[in-house]
Amino acid sequence: MSAVQLPIVAVVGRPNVGKSTLVNRLACSDDAIVHASAGVTRDRSYAQAEWNGRYFLLVDTGGIEISSSDEFQLGIKTQAQMAINQADLILLLVDGRGDITSEDEQVARLIKRARKPVILVVNKVDTPGSLTETYAFYQLGLGEPCPVSATHGNGTGDLLDLVVGALSDAPPDEPTDDSVKVALLGRPNAGKSSLLNRLAGEQRSMVSDVAGTTRDALDTKITYKDRPYTLIDTAGLRRKGLITDDVEYYGFVRAMRALDRANVAVLLIDASIGLTDQDQRIANFAIERGCALVIAVNKWDLMRGEEEQRKELLARLEDRLTFVSWAPVIRLSALTGRGVELVLDTVGAVYDRYQQQIATSALNRLLTELRDFGHTVNKQGKTLRLNYVTQTHSAPPGFTFFCNYPQLVDEGFRRYLENRLRETFDLTGTPVSLKFKKKGQ
């Protein structure tokens, strides 16, 4: 597996200087969570940006507090350091509404040690053309400060000119992204970040045994068996009624948006806890948004020697996930790596089924068999007759049946047709949609 990425611009600084706001402003998006509380951004979060035909990746990092004893700060500093190491250009962001702090000085020293190109950005300069707020920051020794207001957009055009000037190798054309988009879903602490790190082959996302560590939806691009994948690690999803913290709610929204752009969802279930109502809800979120689905039972190694419990868990999965009985189930341990190779093999196979196009002639051969078998619907003196079927879209596959009385089709007959389609054609892992129309409609 190998990383695939554009030139990287890392945005670093102490907490609450406006890093996420600046990333959102420069990328013309709102993917990074913006909140007044310190420590909202913990992992590296990527966003593609473009200026004057040049494309690059912005990396939003967690606020660095060198001397903090917070339990997450070691991970935040590690993630920020990795972003700095990967970066082609670093933006050091400071707060123009106050004096230089010891944290600013320590972060500046950290950046100088990396020996990378740096632009010093003074944020929260809300008066266009004002330079008063920038004078003190010359003493950081990182060259001429660039004043901006990330909130209002003042000075961001000048900053982008400096960025693309420093990235002379940035590609002039927008890159095409034909990767398979894979959303990693699950309840908090199910092992999503551990799985992502294992698949990416690096400490890409913070891993902690404290539920709720991941709050943003994060993208990691890899190549596996010559196929590109975009892995999207999402915040752990809880019932909406249990989400009381507004930052956690924003994370929930990001997870839903991750599903909206995903092709395949991998639902991680914690084997040590078992299947829960929330796992069922998450699976339903995925199919509502038209994603293919893979069920991954994580922490399988913790049930070693507990054969009865293993059988009971698998039986519970089969019983309570009947509405996604078409989704393949794999067993793994993200922590040890056992079974992890099955994830992308299964995702790749499911994706092929998800985007396949079945020949109309093959579909109508099946329809002829169904008519000969004689299974149909009789209501109010009318008999349903299916005349013709064709696949009208893929990703996920959708089929339209032309018939004499579409209103006669009930849920039972719809399930019957779906089951026969799945028996005849390989639709493993993908939802399907069925529509019924009268000829001429």
Side-chain angles (χ1 to χ4, degrees):
M1 302 178 192
S2 60
V4 182
Q5 56 188 18
L6 292 171
I8 290 177
V9 179
V11 181
V12 299
R14 60 182 173 84
N16 273 354
V17 294
K19 295 182 295 299
S20 295
T21 304
L22 182 64
V23 168
N24 288 340
R25 172 67 65 176
L26 298 183
C28 298
S29 76
D30 57 357
D31 285 341
I33 300 176
V34 178
H35 194 271
S37 300
V40 171
T41 302
R42 289 170 175 167
D43 297 301
R44 289 166 287 158
S45 181
Y46 292 80
Q48 183 173 301
E50 178 271 337
W51 186 250
N52 290 337
R54 296 188 180 275
Y55 291 83
F56 53 93
L57 285 180
L58 287 163
V59 185
D60 183 18
T61 62
I64 304 173
E65 296 178 275
I66 303 293
S67 58
S68 173
S69 59
D70 182 273
E71 62 180 305
F72 289 108
Q73 262 303 313
L74 178 59
I76 291 172
K77 284 182 280 190
T78 300
Q79 289 293 319
Q81 183 65 67
M82 292 178 72
I84 290 169
N85 293 342
Q86 287 184 340
D88 299 286
L89 174 67
I90 300 166
L91 303 185
L92 172 58
L93 198 64
V94 294
D95 188 342
R97 295 186 302 186
D99 297 327
I100 292 178
T101 69
S102 60
E103 294 291 348
D104 291 327
E105 294 173 340
Q106 290 172 324
V107 175
R109 284 196 290 271
L110 181 69
I111 291 172
K112 288 176 182 177
R113 288 198 292 270
R115 299 185 181 279
K116 297 285 185 75
V118 181
I119 298 174
L120 175 61
V121 184
V122 182
N123 191 26
K124 305 180 185 179
V125 180
D126 296 333
T127 304
S130 174
L131 297 176
T132 306
E133 297 92 335
T134 68
Y135 294 147
F137 294 98
Y138 277 94
Q139 62 185 283
L140 290 176
L142 293 174
E144 182 176 354
C146 177
V148 302
S149 171
T151 300
H152 300 104
N154 302 335
T156 52
D158 293 336
L159 173 59
L160 284 166
D161 285 339
L162 293 174
V163 168
V164 297
L167 294 175
S168 56
D169 296 330
D173 299 316
E174 182 174 8
T176 57
D177 185 1
D178 58 353
S179 64
V180 182
K181 314 300 187 303
V182 185
L184 304 180
L185 302 173
R187 292 177 292 107
N189 211 28
K192 300 179 294 298
S193 295
S194 295
L195 177 60
L196 183 144
N197 289 339
R198 181 67 64 173
L199 293 172
E202 61 165 321
Q203 279 299 110
R204 169 61 184 81
S205 191
M206 279 177 58
V207 178
S208 168
D209 59 3
V210 179
T213 303
T214 302
R215 285 175 171 170
D216 284 302
L218 308 173
D219 288 5
T220 297
K221 292 186 179 295
I222 63 173
T223 300
Y224 177 72
K225 293 186 176 178
D226 297 324
R227 171 176 271 176
Y229 293 84
T230 299
L231 306 177
I232 311 168
D233 185 18
T234 61
L237 297 180
R238 308 184 190 192
R239 288 174 54 188
K240 288 180 75 172
L242 298 180
I243 298 175
T244 56
D245 183 273
D246 50 356
V247 175
E248 187 176 359
Y249 174 75
Y250 297 154
F252 173 86
V253 173
R254 295 299 187 273
M256 292 300 98
R257 290 177 58 185
L259 277 175
D260 287 337
R261 60 191 177 94
N263 307 120
V264 183
V266 176
L267 170 58
L268 258 70
I269 294 173
D270 188 337
S272 65
I273 296 176
L275 185 71
T276 69
D277 292 343
Q278 184 60 3
D279 292 320
Q280 291 178 290
R281 292 188 186 92
I282 294 171
N284 198 52
F285 285 145
I287 60 175
E288 281 179 351
R289 284 160 172 75
C291 294
L293 183 65
V294 174
I295 308 293
V297 184
N298 190 27
K299 307 180 186 180
W300 191 250
D301 55 316
L302 299 182
M303 301 178 72
R304 187 180 294 111
E306 305 290 341
E307 291 305 315
E308 286 302 315
Q309 286 88 338
R310 285 184 171 185
K311 290 179 181 178
E312 182 179 341
L313 174 58
L314 294 177
R316 186 176 174 84
L317 286 175
E318 184 176 354
D319 180 56
R320 297 191 61 189
L321 293 176
T322 53
F323 65 102
V324 288
S325 58
W326 39 263
V329 178
I330 58 178
R331 290 158 280 184
L332 58 95
S333 170
L335 189 62
T336 67
R338 185 171 184 177
V340 167
E341 72 281 356
L342 294 174
V343 175
L344 291 183
D345 286 334
T346 305
V347 165
V350 162
Y351 180 70
D352 289 338
R353 306 284 75 77
Y354 177 73
Q355 63 173 354
Q356 71 177 315
Q357 189 75 35
I358 300 172
T360 300
S361 58
L363 289 168
N364 283 281
R365 280 196 297 271
L366 171 62
L367 191 58
T368 299
E369 294 174 9
L370 296 181
R371 283 199 297 261
D372 292 342
F373 187 70
H375 189 91
T376 186
V377 179
N378 295 287
K379 289 181 181 178
Q380 303 169 348
K382 298 176 180 178
T383 300
L384 176 70
R385 179 174 177 81
L386 303 178
N387 300 312
Y388 185 76
V389 59
T390 186
Q391 184 174 349
T392 46
H393 60 82
S394 59
F399 305 92
T400 297
F401 291 82
F402 293 89
C403 56
N404 56 348
Y405 298 116
Q407 69 274 18
L408 295 184
V409 178
D410 56 23
E411 190 58 35
F413 190 70
R414 185 185 292 269
R415 283 197 301 270
Y416 166 74
L417 287 179
E418 180 178 335
N419 290 338
R420 290 306 306 270
L421 283 168
R422 291 187 181 279
E423 289 170 7
T424 307
F425 308 104
D426 187 358
L427 294 167
T428 302
T430 181
V432 300
S433 63
L434 308 182
K435 290 185 178 180
F436 300 85
K437 291 185 176 181
K438 197 167 186 175
K439 190 175 181 180
Q441 286 185 333

